[in-house]
Amino acid sequence: METPGTITVRDAVMQLLRDCGMTTVFGNPGSTELPFLDRWPNDFRYILGLQESSVVAMADGFARATGRAAFCSLHSAVGVGHAAGSIFTAYRNQAPLVITAGQQARSLLPLNPFLGATEAAQFPKPYVKWSIEPARAEDVPAALAHAWHVAMQPPCGPTFVSIPMDDWSSPAEPLPLRRIGRDTGPDPDLLRDAAAALATSRSPVLVIGPEVDASGAGPAVVALAERLNAPVLASPFSSRVSFPETHPLFAGFLAAAPNAVTTGLASYDLVMVLGAPVFTFHVAGDYRLPPLIQMTADGEAIAAAPCGTGILGSLRIGVPALTALLPPVSRPAPPPRPSLPAPAAASPIPVELLLHNLAATRPANSIIVEEAPSHRPAIQQHLPIPDWGGFFTMASGGLGYGLPAAVGVALAHPARRVIAVIGDGSMMYSIQALWTAVREALPLTVIVLNNSGYGAMRSFSRVLGVENAPGIDLPGLDFPSLAAGMGCPARQVADPADLTAALSSAFASPSPMLIDVALDPAIHTLYRKG
């Protein structure tokens, strides 16, 4: 029985979510969440995903696109289990999420009830920054506030709160609204040393990672590069735009291979790494690095670096401070990045031709969400990203992120065209996200790069000398029919002459449309030696 003047846990949590800007809730509901969903308020929107992994990936895309934490409501232990892959990806993406899961009633927990989660707070570890099942019902609002603050502290990431279903109606106290500063300044002495090293360097290079875009430090990094007149490389597996790829100082991408990194950096006498690990590799090998300075808010990335000076702190604060310390620098401009000729039309369609047409026809200010790992080298060559906030992919390597993340990005930016560039293998991990895109009438274009198989596996099999490996080919997938079953208009393109018209039609559609492009199944080598 509530005492006069008290509020419930649910009332306190709803006000907290309003205060934190988390009034968009991503979920897949079950019985243990019904008390939270009861009498849903008009100022909240509930984004329904048809599988928990897609729910978390949608929230991840939304959080990364807005720069604010997103709220996920999952169903008990099995829902968290379904979502585990996307929770891992959110952790690698440094996406700020507050994830909740319903728990059985407290009175039933000693009896090992149906849908009860044993050690619920331990389940998503180690891939959440903080996790709890509150000891008392009245502690739930404070636990969620704690989870929000931790999720938003750099480096951002997911947090988790397990909530017994009978807690929502218990009495609670409202939480005060707080202001929290999250940026920490780097060591001034290390900044001065870095400025001196850059000023005396004959041939420095900047290597830029996803933290630059995520932290809003992009314009400051452009100013630093222009002050130095130094070339800029994107770090291996950067999951966001690292630098405007049409800028004359942009020199290309470092591959996720040690030998290639050694070759790519060999001509420079100083490497300044901003907002990236040193370095993310996918294959083994030997590497040697020039003198190196790393600046990031991620202490783990600094600890893992094999060499160099680490400057821990906010790029938003540190990069302008470093630029201000630099004396006038006189260096010749680096040579421009070579431009590629337009690919020739052929059948089956080369991926390069598709990407060239996509770059030429996509709307200005559109956002690319990519999950086509086997085609990433071609994407980097033929689909330049000119804008901050204009590109997202996953940092984990786990398939199934791209399509639901594109839904989340489109929810965050309803006035911009979002283009999901997804491999056929990746599509089958989370194709049910199309249903949510249709339900929300999002301006989303889905382009399936259909090479009838797992292209990366074809490439690695060739490099490793593996023959006749099973499970690589994916014949018979009819993506237009699958899309139509969820209410999404779709067409297949096999003739290169039809590409431009098909893409233009999809970009003109105010609601989701899918284009299934039948590609040449040949896959180039992903990582070359040296």
Side-chain angles (χ1 to χ4, degrees):
M1 183 70 117
E2 295 178 23
T3 59
T6 62
I7 63 173
T8 64
V9 166
R10 185 179 182 276
D11 294 333
V13 167
M14 288 298 184
Q15 188 55 50
L16 171 69
L17 297 183
R18 292 184 181 98
D19 292 343
C20 295
M22 294 193 293
T23 55
T24 297
V25 175
F26 296 84
N28 181 268
S31 57
T32 54
E33 292 75 54
L34 283 174
F36 169 62
L37 302 174
D38 182 32
R39 291 164 292 172
W40 193 247
N42 292 331
D43 58 330
F44 280 67
R45 62 176 175 173
Y46 186 89
I47 305 300
L48 175 60
L50 301 186
Q51 204 266 4
E52 288 90 344
S53 183
S54 287
V55 167
V56 172
M58 289 177 194
D60 178 324
F62 185 83
R64 296 174 79 198
T66 60
R68 305 190 309 270
F71 191 84
C72 294
S73 174
L74 306 181
H75 180 42
S76 194
V78 70
V80 178
H82 287 161
S86 288
I87 293 172
F88 171 75
T89 292
Y91 184 80
R92 295 296 189 202
N93 287 346
Q94 298 187 355
L97 303 182
V98 177
I99 302 170
T100 63
Q103 170 66 296
Q104 260 291 7
R106 288 181 185 269
S107 61
L108 292 178
L109 290 179
L111 305 176
N112 292 325
F114 189 66
L115 294 178
T118 302
E119 301 290 341
Q122 300 300 316
F123 197 5
K125 290 182 177 180
Y127 298 113
V128 290
K129 293 179 65 180
W130 186 77
S131 180
I132 193 172
E133 183 173 277
R136 305 179 304 167
E138 56 263 44
D139 297 330
V140 168
L144 285 169
H146 190 149
W148 179 72
H149 288 301
V150 172
M152 288 295 293
Q153 287 172 3
C156 297
T159 56
F160 178 78
V161 182
S162 172
I163 306 174
M165 65 183 297
D166 51 349
D167 284 6
W168 294 104
S169 60
S170 297
E173 294 292 331
L175 294 177
L177 184 65
R178 301 175 64 197
R179 293 184 65 196
I180 302 290
R182 297 187 178 90
D183 285 329
T184 56
D187 186 313
D189 292 337
L190 292 180
L191 284 179
R192 282 191 288 270
D193 292 345
L198 288 166
T200 58
S201 169
R202 297 186 309 278
S203 56
V205 63
L206 300 180
V207 177
I208 310 297
E211 187 184 328
V212 167
D213 193 26
S215 64
V221 167
V222 171
L224 173 63
E226 292 175 346
R227 181 70 172 268
L228 292 168
N229 211 19
V232 176
L233 294 167
S235 66
F237 279 129
S238 182
S239 61
R240 299 179 68 135
V241 62
S242 293
F243 198 78
E245 294 170 21
T246 54
H247 193 285
L249 291 176
F250 184 67
F253 300 83
L254 284 179
N259 301 82
V261 166
T262 296
T263 301
L265 298 179
S267 62
Y268 304 108
D269 65 354
L270 180 63
V271 179
M272 182 84 198
V273 181
L274 297 173
V278 180
F279 288 104
T280 301
F281 294 130
H282 192 188
V283 294
D286 298 320
Y287 64 100
R288 297 175 302 280
L289 298 176
L292 182 145
I293 303 169
Q294 178 189 24
M295 188 191 302
T296 174
D298 187 347
E300 169 64 23
I302 287 179
C307 61
T309 297
I311 304 176
L312 180 64
S314 163
L315 298 179
R316 196 174 64 86
I317 296 173
V319 172
L322 175 63
T323 304
L325 291 169
L326 286 169
V329 176
S330 177
R331 287 192 188 92
R337 190 182 181 204
S339 58
L340 296 174
S347 186
I349 297 172
V351 69
E352 294 82 2
L353 179 65
L354 166 62
L355 296 169
H356 176 81
N357 276 266
L358 174 56
T361 58
R362 74 184 183 103
N365 204 33
S366 56
I367 301 172
I368 301 292
V369 181
E370 175 263 314
E371 191 179 302
S374 58
H375 295 300
R376 192 161 294 158
I379 291 169
Q380 292 170 346
Q381 290 180 320
H382 295 277
L383 186 58
I385 309 297
D387 305 313
W388 299 110
F391 175 80
F392 297 91
T393 188
M394 45 81 182
S396 69
L399 300 185
Y401 171 77
L403 181 60
V407 172
V409 173
L411 285 162
H413 294 297
R416 299 175 66 176
R417 172 65 50 175
V418 175
I419 304 167
V421 180
I422 312 289
D424 52 338
S426 294
M427 276 292 292
M428 292 309 299
Y429 279 76
S430 52
I431 195 167
Q432 69 277 354
L434 273 180
W435 182 89
T436 304
V438 172
R439 177 184 172 90
E440 300 295 332
L442 299 175
L444 174 64
T445 301
V446 180
I447 302 174
V448 181
L449 278 55
N450 191 342
N451 59 13
S452 300
Y454 296 119
M457 295 293 288
R458 290 173 181 159
S459 176
F460 282 121
S461 293
R462 186 170 61 249
V463 170
L464 297 174
V466 174
E467 298 181 5
N468 300 321
I472 292 178
D473 295 327
L474 300 173
L477 291 174
D478 186 346
F479 289 103
S481 294
L482 291 168
M486 287 177 277
C488 179
R491 64 173 292 186
Q492 186 177 64
V493 176
D495 187 336
D498 296 334
L499 274 176
T500 298
L503 292 172
S504 298
S505 175
F507 296 150
S509 172
S511 55
M513 186 171 181
L514 181 144
I515 306 295
D516 177 18
V517 183
L519 295 179
D520 187 337
I523 297 295
H524 299 298
T525 300
L526 295 178
Y527 305 117
R528 302 182 186 278
K529 291 186 177 180

